[in-house]
Amino acid sequence: MDHELLLARSITQAQHMVRSLGGCGIRSALMRAPVGLTDRGCAYGVRLRPGTLEQALSCLKSAGITPLAVYHHTQEGYREAAQ
C-alpha cells in the first residue's frame, strides 16, 4: 500500500509528530522504520496517507519539528522524497 514515511530522531520525536499532526487533523501512525532506511539501530517513523505530505510538513514546521528524512512507499519500495 502506498504511503509517506517521516523518519524521526527518536521515539519521542515521532510521538510529538503524531500528536502535532493529530492537532492539525492529519491521521498518522507511529511505526518502526524499515531496515535499510537509516543507519540508526532503532529508528522510528510516522506513516501518512498518500496526498497528505505537504499539509503534514507544513503542520510540523509550525510546531517546530523537522523530520530526519521523508520517504514515499510504492510497490517498488521506498524512495526518498524532497522536503
Side-chain angles (χ1 to χ4, degrees):
M1 176 195 253
D2 291 357
H3 62 271
E4 311 296 339
L5 180 67
L6 309 175
L7 287 185
R9 288 189 317 267
S10 64
I11 190 169
T12 303
Q13 185 190 34
Q15 290 168 334
H16 285 294
M17 286 183 185
V18 170
R19 270 194 295 271
S20 295
L21 292 168
C24 292
I26 302 169
R27 293 180 67 186
S28 63
L30 180 69
M31 63 180 275
R32 293 287 301 261
V35 174
L37 290 186
T38 179
D39 58 354
R40 296 171 182 243
C42 187
Y44 288 86
V46 176
R47 183 178 172 154
L48 303 170
R49 293 180 179 190
T52 60
L53 181 59
E54 287 185 38
Q55 183 184 5
L57 291 175
S58 177
C59 174
L60 293 175
K61 185 176 181 178
S62 296
I65 302 170
T66 304
L68 283 178
V70 178
Y71 289 91
H72 177 70
H73 182 265
T74 62
Q75 291 178 341
E76 290 81 39
Y78 285 96
R79 67 176 167 78
E80 194 160 7
Q83 290 188 42

